[in-house]
Amino acid sequence: MRSKMKVFIIALFALVTLGLGAQNASSNAPITLTVYMQNDLANPQSAYWPVTVEAFQKKYPNIKLEFEYVSGEEFHQKFQAMAASGDIPDLFTCYAGARSGYILDRGMVKDLRPYLTDSFKSQYNSAIWQPQGPKGEIYIISPNMAVCTVIYVNTKLQKQLGLSNPKTLDEMIAQVPKIRAAGLDPLAFGNKAQWQAQSLLLSVLVDRMGGTEWFDRAMKGTAKFTDKPFVDAIAVIKKMVDAKLFPAGVNQLEGPQAWGEFVQGKAVYLLDAGWRVSALKAAASPSDYAAYAAIAFPAVEGEVVHGSSAATLGEALAMNAKLSGAKADAAWKFLSFIYGKEGSEILMQYGTVPTYKLDYSKFDIDSLNKQYINLINNQTMGYVIDAKMDSEGVNNILNPGLQAVMMGTKTPAKLAAEYEAWVAANDSNRHKK
Amino acid sequence: MVNARSKRRSYLSFVLPAFIIYATIMVFPLVFTLGLSFTKWKGFGPIEFVGLQNYVRLLSDPVFHIGLRNNILIVLISVFGQIPLGFLLAYMLHRRMVKGAKLFEIMIFLPITISSVIVAQLWNRVFAPVGILPTIIRQITGNQDYIMKIFESKDFAFVPIMFVLLWQHTSLYMVIFLANLQRIPESIIEAAKIEGANEGTIFLKIIAPILAPVAFINSILAISGSFKSFDLIYSMTGGGPAHFTEVMAVYMYNTTFVFQNYGYGSAISIVIILFIVLAIWLTKVMTNRLNMG
């Protein structure tokens, strides 16, 4: 009987040992993650990405990544078809808003909050932890904030003309005659693609005039887009056009043509987004680039928020809600690597300021980038309208309407009324169940 | 009996594959689009039936009206601009009215071989405020603020696009006319000349009647192409500024795929199809009447 018991115990031990061995073997087994990413690898701004992936693969050789890259609008078209079939990859590019509604509304994206400890979150700019879903969900760790309004200054031209940085918009307007007399444009800006006047200009002006609290109320419908802050913000744009701050034909000018004029020394100031820094560096001669400065949009009469800009979270990879176990762990390792210290350092080396807090003294940062980092670290950020409101209202009513206002075929009040009417009838922010 | 069955099988084996392909890529999407046009749908989630609401909205949508007006302008410039000009050029080249006909043939044909996106970029670089044309005019006039104001006119912003369409597409019709002109036996023309016919008589009595069916085919191509106009305009202006250069296809694309309003976008698609069918039917009726006359 005793010998039988011995045999039984030995057999049990052997089974348990073998079982554990098998389990160990499976935890070390390669895990493959499929990644569907909105990225154009031919774009010089994507140069950081292969380096990041290589660094990750070096650290985690057991996690295999199968990428599919699609750029532009095609990314969304294909992804919508995948979402409709219910079969989406393990990781995918996701926006923290309506642009990714087709996957967010279906509950296909994993809420990352269980992974986000306080110490983890403290390593990032706190602005990225604003709720991204109706119940406070966090779907993405945005690696960079798209700061939409920066005034770039050609200090060489400024000195030649005996000008100084304008503190108010009226001061900037007062510089127009002198700049125009020198055959230059005061403020390079292009709005042919229609979104620029809204994303780069109206958004910051609405924040200055009403602040994010007013905008939150307008989204819900307890305030209206016919209210003073919104109408006044549009009126400021018209004032800028009438004062000839912008180049002639601003609505026929492409964005690259506008900043191209600035790089060629044909404009003293440039109104553009924060992400333009690397393009300016690549296009300008080193001596010209060294003379560029970055300042906040000047103060506007009647503003209630001072010195702010407008920003939205940059898109990032998100996790499939169905992932669990070893696959989910591997996916989290990948996300926390590419958006953590290692990935952010690579991003910084390639000229993008990450949301992860780095010791900037370790990096060789040029003067314009230093000014830009200082600027955005000391600014409050308003909302970018097209990141908050439904695409149809913004792209079909507001953006073309701003062009009409700038060309003098519509008044600010009429545009505000048209937009409010559309929002009240259609915008999902006003019709949340 | 067996023979009849065998014939039917043979018939089906020849027709069925083509029918299945046609039904899959033409009939099904069309019926699906028609169905969607009565709904409100974001491209995902529940589909809500809204009856004729999308079509009613079209009646009061100012952007759609601008698109429709511009599409009609494209039809007019195509039918009354590109086709007559194409014919004129083909006739001049065929009748050797200019020296170096081959060179002109290549020059005129070149624009149609270039991608519309490239054509759009090319002309953008001519018309833009920093483009060649405004720069030259600024140099000549000394007016440093000169821009092509026509692009900011609600009524005339579409004129430069019509010019580019004329420049790009005339050659297609020229080539079709030229190929058909070359099929007319030279002996007929020679015989007419011997009989004392002048250039006008040769044109009216010989060439025009022979080319009438070709003009009809060209008209169908021009009309259907006009209502589908997308690539050049999307690349050149995207419908802007302020919707001034909108056309129905660009508006349909934006509504459906950018604004994700699949129901309304489908209604615009159905209206585009109806306009094409109507315009081609009108062309056929008019051609028949002219032939009878």
Side-chain angles (χ1 to χ4, degrees), chain A residues 2 8 41 52 70 73 83 102 120 124 149 159 222 228 262 286 289 297 359 388 392:
Chain A
R2 206 177 251 188
F8 176 74
L41 292 180
T52 310
V70 181
E73 203 54 36
Y102 52 89
F120 181 89
Y124 293 82
T149 310
K159 270 183 199 157
T222 52
K228 197 170 181 303
F262 178 76
Y289 181 75
F297 190 87
D359 176 8
K388 290 285 174 186
E392 184 169 357

Side-chain angles (χ1 to χ4, degrees), chain A residues 73-74 76-77 80 83-84 98-103 105-106 180 183 185 192 194 244 248-254 257 261 266 391-397 399-401 403-404 406-407 409 422 425-426 428, chain B residues 40-45 57 61 63 121 124-125 127-131 138 144-154 235-244 246 251 253 255 257-262 264:
Chain A
E73 203 54 36
E74 270 178 50
H76 294 287
Q77 287 165 11
Q80 280 171 45
R99 195 69 197 88
S100 291
Y102 52 89
I103 42 171
D105 293 355
R106 286 185 163 121
R180 290 234 167 254
D185 282 320
K192 184 176 179 179
Q194 305 192 355
K244 296 196 169 183
V250 58
N251 287 303
Q252 296 180 42
L253 210 57
E254 306 266 14
Q257 289 171 334
E261 292 288 282
K266 293 179 180 172
S391 167
E392 184 169 357
V394 171
N395 290 299
N396 202 28
I397 310 278
N399 292 354
Q403 285 189 321
M406 292 166 84
M407 292 185 298
T409 56
W422 190 92
N426 303 290
S428 59
Chain B
K40 190 176 180 183
W41 189 46
K42 284 201 290 182
F44 60 88
R57 183 181 159 188
D61 183 347
V63 181
Q121 293 305 317
N124 273 343
R125 274 161 176 70
F127 294 140
V130 291
R138 269 183 222 137
Q144 288 309 306
D145 285 340
Y146 177 83
I147 53 155
M148 293 199 62
K149 272 278 182 196
I150 194 168
F151 279 105
E152 298 184 1
S153 158
K154 191 177 181 181
S235 310
M236 204 168 158
T237 64
H243 291 302
F244 293 168
E246 202 75 67
Y251 190 45
Y253 175 83
T255 303
F257 301 110
V258 180
F259 312 152
Q260 296 183 312
N261 191 341
Y262 282 74
Y264 192 49

Side-chain angles (χ1 to χ4, degrees), chain A residues 45-283:
Chain A
Q45 287 184 341
S46 298
Y48 78 95
W49 182 245
V51 182
T52 310
V53 173
E54 197 184 327
F56 175 77
Q57 296 282 233
K58 209 171 173 181
K59 188 170 178 182
Y60 298 104
N62 276 355
I63 301 174
K64 304 279 175 218
L65 299 163
E66 283 179 3
F67 286 100
E68 183 182 355
Y69 298 108
V70 181
S71 62
E73 203 54 36
E74 270 178 50
F75 168 87
H76 294 287
Q77 287 165 11
K78 190 171 177 185
F79 204 15
Q80 280 171 45
M82 289 184 202
S85 72
D87 185 20
I88 60 170
D90 300 325
L91 294 151
F92 41 81
T93 298
C94 182
Y95 290 74
R99 195 69 197 88
S100 291
Y102 52 89
I103 42 171
L104 294 173
D105 293 355
R106 286 185 163 121
M108 293 176 132
V109 188
K110 192 180 266 300
D111 181 4
L112 297 179
R113 282 180 297 176
Y115 296 96
L116 304 174
T117 59
D118 286 344
S119 65
F120 181 89
K121 283 161 74 173
S122 67
Q123 298 170 94
Y124 293 82
N125 184 322
S126 60
I128 71 166
W129 304 124
Q130 294 286 329
Q132 296 165 10
K135 292 173 188 162
E137 294 94 333
I138 301 288
Y139 300 115
I140 58 168
I141 305 166
S142 181
N144 64 312
M145 275 195 305
V147 178
C148 287
T149 310
V150 175
I151 300 286
Y152 296 96
V153 185
N154 184 331
T155 56
K156 257 188 208 170
L157 289 177
Q158 223 183 16
K159 270 183 199 157
Q160 278 172 21
L161 296 169
L163 304 169
S164 57
N165 284 344
K167 290 195 171 51
T168 66
L169 184 62
D170 288 334
E171 279 180 30
M172 190 183 243
I173 288 171
Q175 294 181 358
V176 170
K178 204 167 193 179
I179 297 172
R180 290 234 167 254
L184 301 170
D185 282 320
L187 181 61
F189 180 59
N191 188 41
K192 184 176 179 179
Q194 305 192 355
W195 61 268
Q196 292 99 332
Q198 169 266 127
S199 289
L200 310 187
L201 188 52
L202 183 65
S203 295
V204 73
L205 289 170
V206 170
D207 186 61
R208 296 284 182 92
M209 294 305 196
T212 50
E213 275 177 33
W214 174 84
F215 201 93
D216 284 333
R217 287 195 292 119
M219 282 167 69
K220 286 179 197 151
T222 52
K224 305 238 176 287
F225 286 101
T226 43
D227 291 353
K228 197 170 181 303
F230 198 72
V231 179
D232 283 355
I234 300 172
V236 171
I237 297 177
K238 178 68 176 143
K239 179 181 172 180
M240 292 170 79
V241 176
D242 292 345
K244 296 196 169 183
L245 262 175
F246 300 129
V250 58
N251 287 303
Q252 296 180 42
L253 210 57
E254 306 266 14
Q257 289 171 334
W259 64 260
E261 292 288 282
F262 178 76
V263 168
Q264 288 173 54
K266 293 179 180 172
V268 179
Y269 304 103
L270 166 69
L271 169 60
D272 212 320
W275 60 81
R276 193 63 61 217
V277 175
S278 53
L280 293 176
K281 189 174 186 174

Side-chain angles (χ1 to χ4, degrees), chain B residues 53-128:
Chain B
Q53 197 177 298
N54 289 326
Y55 291 96
V56 173
R57 183 181 159 188
L58 279 176
L59 297 175
S60 59
D61 183 347
V63 181
F64 177 75
H65 295 164
I66 295 173
L68 178 60
R69 183 204 68 168
N70 289 340
N71 269 116
I72 291 169
L73 286 174
I74 299 176
V75 171
L76 293 177
I77 195 71
S78 301
V79 175
F80 300 108
Q82 289 166 7
I83 294 176
L85 191 60
F87 175 77
L88 187 72
L89 292 168
Y91 191 76
M92 286 169 72
L93 292 172
H94 179 67
R95 303 288 296 139
R96 296 280 186 260
M97 289 177 175
V98 286
K99 279 182 185 171
K102 277 284 164 206
L103 177 70
F104 282 111
E105 213 175 290
I106 294 164
M107 275 174 62
I108 297 165
F109 189 65
L110 200 63
I112 196 74
T113 62
I114 305 171
S115 149
S116 289
V117 178
I118 295 169
V119 169
Q121 293 305 317
L122 180 85
W123 284 101
N124 273 343
R125 274 161 176 70
V126 173
F127 294 140

